[in-house]
Structures are given as C-alpha cells and as structure tokens.
Amino acid sequence: MLWALSIEAKNDVAVDAANFIGCAKNATMDWDYGYDYVEPPVVGSYISMYFPHSDWALNAKKYTTDFRSVENGHVWDFEVTANSSDREIKLLFRKVVKVPLSLSMNLVDVEANISIDLQRDSTYSFWLSHKDAVRHFKIFAGDVEFMEDHKNDLPGEPTTFELVQNYPNPFNSSTMILYELKETTQVKLGIYNLLAQQVRLLYNGMQGKGFHQFRWDGRDENGWELGTGIYILRLETPAYTSTRKMIFMR
C-alpha cells in the first residue's frame, strides 16, 4: 500500500516541519534519489528531527525523509534534538497521502518507554533534559501480521499504578517526571520539602489510563527558584500512593 506521513517537531521558538515517512513505488530500504533528502544544517535557535542513516550511500548521516518499499510493515528510527532543554517539544503527525485504517501505526518514545497509537493520537509532547540532549523514537507501521510479529517490541499498556524515578536525578535545571495509571482515576501530583510542606502542585484532577509525564523546573507555586536540597515527589490516587526523592542542585 502507498502512504505518507509528515512529522513536525516544534517548540515555542523553532520548528522543523519538512519530515516524511511512508511507502512509495520504486523506493527501497536504502537511499533513493528523489525520495530521501538530507537534513539541512542547524542555525540559531533550532529544533531538529531527523532519521539517522550512517549506512546509506551518501556521506550524510541525517535525513529529513525516509521512504521505504511497499511491504507489510517497517520500523523507522528517528531522533529529536534542540539547543534549549527548558521548552516543551511537540511532535505533530499528519497523513499526507491517505493512510489506510487497516494500517497500524505506533510511536514509541524509547527513553520514556511509552507507546502511542498514531491512528488515534496525532500529537505527542515531551521535554529534553540537559543530561539527554537527544530523544530517540521509533515508528512501527504495518498490517495486523506485522504488528503481531513486533508486539514484544512495543511497550505494553499500563497494568498497574507506578511512579517512576524522575530523570535526571540529581538535576540543576529541570527534571522529567513519569508515571503510569492502570485506569482512569483522580490524581494529585505534588512536590514537598522535607518538612512535608507542599511547594508545588503539578496536577490535581481526573486523568485517563496510560502514561503521563511532567517537567519540573525547580520552582515553587509563585515561580521562585527553590534552594539546593532534597524534595519529595508524591503521587496520590484513591487506590495508590507513592513517593520519590529528588535532589535539586542549583
């Protein structure tokens, strides 16, 4: 089947929009003239989303498009980087050439171990950290048989409640917080000092089943930067409570 998907990466100061994957007539698994184009060099405030291919015939290692042969499925690897780690990054997926409903498409955030159904959700947000300047992703796209063959390569849906250790930790600018919910439930996510005083409420309300992430920049409710020390991350639901220690170093 012939299809194409565009991928746009953006934050509030930069955008990288001309990225495409898909299956096309006469395309191969290697570099193809007229299909696969080199990622342009970055300048100024930038965000860059690219497909790494150091094994292709050209001298370039990064590409902005990656079209493949028409088969029952493929796995695309891509990376996202930016020269600012304190801004939310959004990935937007748009169907350029009609993608059949029979084609399953899953985005995998490798670092967060999250899988997103791209036939259902067309956006995904994340933050880079100073420790991890590059974020790695995979897209699995194929028919039922292909997806069944790769089901063990995809992160499963949450089957429990879990608060994952923040990363990086210790941190000196911002840190990522990730947790999973096995069902839709009331959630309170807060940060406390060692006197058990709440210094920042990150979320309080209903959330759906799945994986969730937040970024904390070391500031309190009033926007003031807190001092160096140990802080407690606390996740509360009616059926589950968990805490993690976070070390903030200014």
Side-chain angles (χ1 to χ4, degrees), residues 199-201 216-226 250:
V199 297
R200 182 75 177 268
L201 179 63
W216 183 47
D217 58 3
R219 298 180 183 273
D220 65 13
E221 298 286 6
N222 299 314
W224 294 98
E225 189 175 65
L226 296 169
R250 295 184 59 177

Side-chain angles (χ1 to χ4, degrees), residues 98-117:
K98 186 176 181 180
V99 177
L101 293 177
S102 61
L103 184 75
S104 295
M105 303 183 69
N106 283 79
L107 170 72
V108 173
D109 182 334
V110 175
E111 278 77 13
N113 197 37
I114 294 175
S115 179
I116 304 296
D117 183 351

Side-chain angles (χ1 to χ4, degrees), residues 66-77:
D66 186 354
F67 283 93
R68 307 279 182 87
S69 57
V70 179
E71 297 179 13
N72 68 329
H74 293 284
V75 181
W76 282 265
D77 291 275

Side-chain angles (χ1 to χ4, degrees), residues 16 18-19 37-42 47-50 60 62-64:
D16 183 354
N19 309 287
Y37 293 92
V38 175
E39 174 77 356
V42 296
I47 183 169
S48 178
M49 182 252 136
Y50 55 86
K62 301 176 181 180
Y63 294 80
T64 189

Side-chain angles (χ1 to χ4, degrees), residues 106-199:
N106 283 79
L107 170 72
V108 173
D109 182 334
V110 175
E111 278 77 13
N113 197 37
I114 294 175
S115 179
I116 304 296
D117 183 351
L118 293 180
Q119 289 283 33
R120 182 185 62 197
D121 300 315
S122 60
T123 63
Y124 179 71
S125 300
F126 67 96
W127 287 266
L128 293 172
S129 70
H130 286 294
K131 180 180 179 181
D132 302 309
V134 177
R135 195 67 161 254
H136 301 84
F137 296 90
K138 294 178 179 288
I139 291 179
F140 292 77
D143 60 18
V144 174
E145 181 181 357
F146 177 84
M147 298 305 287
E148 178 66 21
D149 290 340
H150 289 82
K151 65 180 181 180
N152 293 330
D153 299 325
L154 296 171
E157 289 192 357
T159 58
T160 186
F161 294 108
E162 183 178 1
L163 175 62
V164 180
Q165 183 66 57
N166 64 297
Y167 70 93
N169 190 44
F171 67 100
N172 61 12
S173 176
S174 65
T175 189
M176 296 302 303
I177 295 164
L178 175 69
Y179 56 93
E180 56 186 71
L181 305 174
K182 69 175 183 179
E183 60 190 26
T184 299
T185 185
Q186 179 74 25
V187 170
K188 182 179 180 182
L189 183 68
I191 298 169
Y192 300 80
N193 61 26
L194 293 181
L195 298 177
Q197 298 168 325
Q198 181 178 290
V199 297

